[in-house]
Amino acid sequence: MHHDTPEQLQEKARQLVAEYVSKVDDLKPKERTKIPSQDMPAQDPEVRVHNLDEVALGYTFEQAQVEAIRCLQCVKKTCVEDCPVRIDIPGFVNHIAHGNLDQAAGVIKEASLLPAICGRVCPQETQCQQNCAVGKALKDVEKSVAIGRLERFVADWERKTGKISVPEVKSATGKKVAVVGSGPAGLVVAADCRREGHHVTIFEAFHKLGGVLRYGIPEFRLPNDIIDKEIQTLSAMGVEFKTNFVVGKTRKLKDLMEKDGYDAVFIGVGAGLPIFMGIEGENLVGVFSANEYLTRANLMRAFDKGHADTPIYQSRKVAVLGGGNVAMDSARMAKRLGAENVYVVYRRTEVEMPARKEEVEHAKEEGIEFLFLQNAKRILGSEDGRVNAMECVRFELGEPDASGRRRPIQVPNSEFMLDVDTVIVAIGNGSNPLLTQSTPGINLNKWGNITVDENQKTSMDRVFAGGDIVLGAATVILAMGEGRRAAAAINKMLAEEIERERKQ
Amino acid sequence: MAKILLKKQLSKDVFMMNLHAPLIAEERSAGQFIILQVDEDYGERIPLTIADANTTDGSITIIFQVVGKSTLQLSKMNEGDDVPALVGPLGRPTHVENFGTVVCVGGGIGVAPMHPIAQALKAAGNKVIIIIGARNKDLIILEEEMKAIADELIICTDDGSYGRKALVTQPLKEICERDPKPNMVIAIGPPIMMKFCSETTRPYDVFTQVSLNTIMVDGTGMCGGCRVNVGKEVKFVCVDGPEFDGHKVDFDNMMTRLNSYKSIERESHNCYLQSEIEAKEMK
């Protein structure tokens, strides 16, 4: 696979800017769709498999401008409709096309609080970019305007130029909001509630903040600096943080309200219960949940072998089971930790894989081998109880199932052995019952997810919930969307209460 | 952060510390554990059972044995120092009621987590028989504390340097043969001891509860590193345990899993010791 170097990409973009920027408002749609889409500059695959630095380097200003000029500024804004938080995409893209990055940032911030994160981890090809008119005209969704990359560009520009402003906080209301979990949903709730002048405390079970952004998503995809910056902003706004605090264990949820005086609670604890295959050999040494593998590598920094005290398994041949982003992250992390062969074993085909397209491409460039239409049947171990092989079975695609994807059907007598010493199970997460078990009065559905109304309100008075604990394992942006909605409802509830108290 | 209020060395490698953690002291029950780190950026998360708690001064007591780099570092911290990260109480509390006669078997450092359980069982009206086992006299801990609780106290050492020269399974077997047999056994100690205690009681059909200390990262059910086979089910020690029916636990698999990182850990410990020696020589 040949890619231009970052320098070559920049040179081409510079020429295109010279050609188009003077007539940015006068281009016809046909002229715009002819402008080549801008590739993301990336670290050389051979280099990056030996480091943890971010793979995608981000657009230069010229690349961003060229990409923005490709946007047709449609009247029917399908991109906005397909964005879970309804960012005015044509609006901010138009500002980039005109070189007004300040204004572009302002437009994004109206709807999204964490653009540097979403620009990196959103599955744009199934959201804003899916029905983009440019992609449709060119009959290739990959040729859609690269909205996510533009979003990231603006957010990075803002951060690097020190232009991130601390949102204004209204005068203190005397009301207290507890946010349980410091992942994407919780961070959004904290910011939105704090802005209204409420005292906000974020409770985090781990010793570091960020939830899945920190323990789950590796630095080569989302550097810790970016999470730290978002947290610094919250801290500057006066949000209080309590790490090493497991609500439900260190303190019961109802005690936060009854004893500690919190007027509202938002539960954003994520999914966080690893699902295993339930196959023979899964408890052998060398079989890990993706949660464990990634938490060791990311949060506990086990990749930094000289410094970290938390060990990580030394692997030579690794099988990763699953086809989502977590599977890609695990596979690519295993490669970076020194595995010679890394296989992603997925029982459907590449088309059905839920992972972000860019991550799949990056994984392939890094030498990850994809075994489609195959699945693990059992894991075999040596006498000392360590994994030494995995028996797989082949599948073919049958009729579509309830999810609309063609159902994989096992091919009889198609078993074969895969030579591996490590198996990472990345087939999803259930809902972790730690908090809900110790919180009677909170209603759950049959999968253990918290049930909420249209305002994210749970069955418990003053308690709201959002993100994966409600949705099941979903995406960062959906979690943020739910957080936004919950914060609005909490703010409304508290405002009404303040009003009532004032009248008395 | 949790300040070290008190530190005592109980034997060559065993230390006791009282840590300031008022919320944990208030919420914890017998059988639960905490996780701590000696370094928030690069330190391991170490699970340790809560040996005692005091709600008056808001402290919890931990007792730990130096087994590797992290516990060695912890042992070097002193009164007044802050443990950078401490979280808990984790796991399910021990189920305590009046069972009748309960035999508590504590092996080595396992006597520490046994102490609050024996205390709670005694308070619930049980006749409590305590068996303490250790390799030698120097490794016996909490003898006086246990004597204060026990209706009957038996001490054994492997080398006979104190108490009976026996493994804990010998007196345990004798007690099981008594008429009436005990209503319940609780065994806490090295995996191999808990395995053989369970095997000892199995023919007598005496319910035997064990407390497992497997490898874990988060301690909240998120990583699954602590999973064990219990009967036909896979359980997570951190949230489903740490206590399980010893007759159903697959100890062999558990012991294999405990050795997952043995070679890496030994290397890390040795590197640390080496650097300590070099640092001393430099002085």
Side-chain angles (χ1 to χ4, degrees):
Chain A
M1 227 178 302
H2 171 76
H3 285 296
D4 284 344
T5 64
E7 293 74 23
Q8 288 166 329
L9 289 171
Q10 166 62 3
E11 181 51 29
K12 286 183 187 169
R14 215 181 46 75
Q15 289 168 15
L16 291 165
V17 166
E19 187 178 347
Y20 290 107
V21 82
S22 58
K23 44 187 176 182
V24 56
D25 292 322
D26 307 320
L27 292 167
K28 296 198 176 66
K30 278 222 161 119
E31 291 174 281
R32 290 186 196 271
T33 53
K34 272 201 192 116
I35 303 173
S37 62
Q38 298 297 296
D39 284 344
M40 179 59 114
Q43 266 199 80
D44 186 313
E46 305 211 342
V47 176
R48 72 189 188 224
V49 294
H50 301 292
N51 68 45
L52 257 286
D53 299 340
E54 193 170 15
V55 169
L57 301 171
Y59 278 164
T60 60
F61 175 65
E62 286 77 10
Q63 280 190 288
Q65 210 171 8
V66 173
E67 190 64 28
I69 296 171
R70 296 179 69 233
C71 172
L72 303 182
Q73 297 292 316
C74 303
V75 179
K76 182 172 160 45
K77 298 165 181 172
T78 55
C79 50
V80 182
E81 286 165 24
D82 292 342
C83 169
V85 296
R86 306 277 180 276
I87 297 176
D88 174 9
I89 293 164
F92 92 79
V93 172
N94 196 32
H95 283 308
I96 302 176
H98 288 85
N100 299 327
L101 301 185
D102 261 327
Q103 283 160 287
V107 170
I108 295 173
K109 284 287 180 71
E110 282 167 24
S112 173
L113 282 167
L114 310 167
I117 295 171
C118 292
R120 287 172 165 81
V121 304
C122 264
Q124 289 93 2
E125 67 270 12
T126 60
Q127 295 179 357
C128 53
Q129 292 170 204
Q130 186 175 23
N131 294 307
C132 169
V134 176
K136 293 277 181 210
L138 297 169
K139 297 189 170 56
D140 183 355
V141 70
E142 285 184 57
K143 295 270 192 305
S144 294
V145 175
I147 299 164
R149 294 171 185 175
L150 291 175
E151 181 186 22
R152 167 186 165 162
F153 169 74
V154 173
D156 287 358
W157 170 83
E158 207 187 8
R159 194 178 64 255
K160 282 180 201 152
T161 51
K163 297 218 164 136
I164 293 185
S165 54
V166 176
E168 206 176 310
V169 172
K170 292 187 185 162
S171 57
T173 61
K175 297 286 176 192
K176 289 169 75 180
V177 179
V179 174
V180 187
S182 66
L187 294 180
V188 167
V189 174
D192 281 0
C193 290
R194 181 65 196 133
R195 280 209 263 217
E196 288 303 304
H198 308 309
H199 177 88
V200 176
T201 310
I202 295 185
F203 295 94
E204 167 58 45
F206 271 130
H207 52 289
K208 297 270 180 186
L209 297 158
V212 70
L213 304 172
R214 174 99 48 186
Y215 73 74
I217 305 176
E219 288 219 66
F220 56 78
R221 203 149 77 77
L222 177 63
N224 283 344
D225 289 352
I226 290 166
I227 309 167
D228 291 340
K229 187 72 204 172
E230 300 296 349
I231 286 159
Q232 277 165 24
T233 305
L234 287 178
S235 182
M237 288 169 74
V239 170
E240 181 190 19
F241 296 98
K242 288 198 172 168
T243 50
N244 295 307
F245 197 114
V246 183
V247 175
K249 286 287 183 186
T250 310
R251 201 87 165 134
K252 299 280 182 290
L253 189 137
K254 72 170 174 43
D255 289 342
L256 290 180
M257 296 191 286
E258 290 170 10
K259 293 185 183 166
D260 303 335
Y262 285 94
D263 301 284
V265 178
F266 173 78
I267 304 173
V269 294
L273 181 78
I275 297 173
F276 286 92
M277 300 279 290
I279 56 175
E280 188 187 323
E282 222 166 7
N283 281 5
L284 290 165
V285 174
V287 184
F288 304 94
S289 73
N291 286 1
E292 180 179 359
Y293 195 76
L294 290 173
T295 300
R296 283 177 182 273
N298 299 331
L299 177 77
M300 307 310 295
R301 311 192 73 71
F303 66 84
D304 193 350
K305 285 174 194 158
H307 293 106
D309 292 333
T310 301
I312 196 153
Y313 208 59
Q314 305 293 302
S315 310
R316 209 168 47 79
K317 291 171 184 285
V318 181
V320 178
L321 311 181
N325 287 319
V326 176
M328 297 307 117
D329 289 344
S330 306
R332 298 169 69 194
M333 184 58 87
K335 192 84 184 178
R336 282 162 175 74
L337 288 166
E340 290 158 27
N341 297 87
V342 182
Y343 309 100
V344 168
V345 181
Y346 183 56
R347 65 191 184 122
R348 303 182 197 237
T349 70
E350 184 165 359
V351 188
E352 286 87 13
M353 276 214 299
R356 277 182 98 225
K357 192 110 192 171
E358 189 173 74
E359 311 312 329
V360 179
E361 293 306 322
H362 283 157
K364 285 182 184 169
E365 289 168 13
E366 289 163 13
I368 308 296
E369 297 161 61
F370 286 82
L371 307 181
F372 293 117
L373 290 169
Q374 299 173 26
N375 204 3
K377 193 176 176 190
R378 64 188 174 117
I379 304 164
L380 293 92
S382 57
E383 265 176 26
D384 62 357
R386 287 168 186 259
V387 174
N388 66 3
M390 184 169 84
E391 189 179 16
C392 297
V393 60
R394 293 184 201 279
F395 285 78
E396 57 191 17
L397 289 183
E399 295 298 309
D401 63 11
S403 71
R405 298 186 297 185
R406 290 177 67 192
R407 188 192 301 275
I409 300 166
Q410 199 171 315
V411 178
N413 306 317
S414 62
E415 286 83 355
F416 67 99
M417 285 292 176
L418 193 62
D419 174 20
V420 292
D421 54 36
T422 306
V423 177
I424 302 171
V425 185
I427 58 169
N429 274 281
S431 53
N432 189 316
L434 197 67
L435 174 61
T436 51
Q437 264 172 6
S438 67
T439 312
I442 202 151
N443 289 350
L444 310 175
N445 68 13
K446 64 174 169 178
W447 297 284
N449 298 115
I450 297 177
T451 50
V452 294
D453 67 11
E454 68 282 4
N455 292 317
Q456 308 295 135
K457 168 83 173 46
T458 70
S459 55
M460 262 178 104
D461 195 28
R462 298 172 176 275
V463 179
F464 297 75
D468 280 1
I469 189 64
V470 169
L471 296 164
T475 59
V476 169
I477 188 76
L478 286 173
M480 284 177 42
E482 296 222 311
R484 261 259 123 126
R485 205 154 46 233
I490 292 170
N491 287 336
K492 182 162 175 281
M493 178 184 84
L494 295 179
E496 286 167 3
E497 219 163 88
I498 292 165
E499 184 62 20
R500 268 200 307 280
E501 285 163 6
R502 202 175 56 83
K503 279 184 185 156
Q504 277 166 8
Chain B
M1 271 200 306
K3 194 174 285 300
I4 300 171
L5 303 176
L6 181 77
K7 177 187 173 185
K8 264 199 227 166
Q9 186 160 8
L10 301 185
S11 69
K12 184 173 162 281
D13 290 328
V14 178
F15 294 82
M16 186 202 92
M17 280 180 181
N18 285 355
L19 306 175
H20 185 65
L23 288 178
I24 301 175
E26 193 182 320
E27 287 288 329
R28 72 96 213 189
S29 301
Q32 291 189 292
F33 65 96
I34 53 96
I35 285 183
L36 62 76
Q37 285 173 278
V38 292
D39 178 317
E40 265 202 316
D41 288 320
Y42 292 102
E44 265 181 291
R45 293 171 65 91
I46 315 168
L48 293 168
T49 312
I50 303 167
D52 207 346
N54 181 337
T55 47
T56 315
D57 69 355
S59 72
I60 59 164
T61 303
I62 53 165
I63 294 179
F64 62 94
Q65 185 166 16
V66 174
V67 290
K69 180 185 168 187
S70 301
T71 40
L72 179 59
Q73 284 175 312
L74 180 63
S75 75
K76 289 184 174 170
M77 296 181 75
N78 291 308
E79 287 172 14
D81 291 347
D82 286 315
V83 174
L86 173 70
V87 63
L90 300 169
R92 292 178 187 239
T94 308
H95 174 70
V96 175
E97 61 174 66
N98 191 345
F99 299 101
T101 300
V102 182
V103 186
C104 296
V105 189
I109 189 81
V111 178
M114 184 62 88
H115 179 244
I117 296 171
Q119 218 168 19
L121 287 167
K122 181 70 192 170
N126 291 282
K127 180 183 175 196
V128 178
I129 303 172
I130 297 174
I131 304 174
I132 295 179
R135 283 204 309 278
N136 59 51
K137 187 182 181 208
D138 292 340
L139 298 173
I140 300 282
I141 58 168
L142 301 180
E143 184 188 349
E144 287 309 312
E145 288 83 347
M146 288 304 222
K147 194 182 273 173
I149 300 165
D151 291 284
E152 186 181 344
L153 177 69
I154 301 162
I155 295 178
C156 343
T157 50
D158 295 3
D159 65 355
S161 52
Y162 194 61
R164 279 177 65 175
K165 183 179 190 304
L167 297 173
V168 290
T169 45
Q170 282 168 270
L172 179 61
K173 186 171 194 293
E174 291 158 19
I175 296 166
C176 286
E177 278 169 356
R178 288 180 191 170
D179 185 25
K181 66 184 183 185
N183 301 82
M184 182 174 171
V185 170
I186 301 184
I188 309 180
I192 192 80
M193 181 210 96
M194 294 192 282
K195 176 184 170 174
F196 282 103
C197 284
S198 302
E199 288 314 316
T200 302
T201 59
R202 194 190 299 273
Y204 302 97
D205 196 24
V206 176
F207 178 74
T208 300
Q209 186 169 289
V210 293
S211 179
L212 307 182
N213 191 356
T214 50
I215 290 174
M216 52 179 77
V217 184
D218 59 292
T220 60
M222 206 200 74
C223 83
C226 63
R227 63 195 189 274
V228 286
N229 295 317
V230 180
K232 287 198 165 81
E233 290 176 288
V234 176
K235 296 281 188 188
F236 288 3
V237 170
C238 66
V239 288
D240 300 321
E243 294 172 351
F244 296 98
D245 178 349
H247 293 157
K248 291 187 179 161
V249 171
D250 178 351
F251 283 102
D252 293 338
N253 177 255
M254 184 188 107
M255 287 187 276
T256 307
R257 290 183 58 78
L258 274 169
N259 287 331
S260 297
Y261 300 99
K262 206 92 203 189
S263 59
I264 308 175
E265 281 166 351
R266 199 176 299 123
E267 195 183 312
S268 158
H269 189 43
N270 289 343
C271 282
Y272 180 70
L273 293 176
Q274 189 61 39
S275 68
E276 290 280 289
I277 294 165
E278 281 164 12
K280 272 189 190 146
E281 282 171 353
M282 295 278 277
K283 280 181 199 162

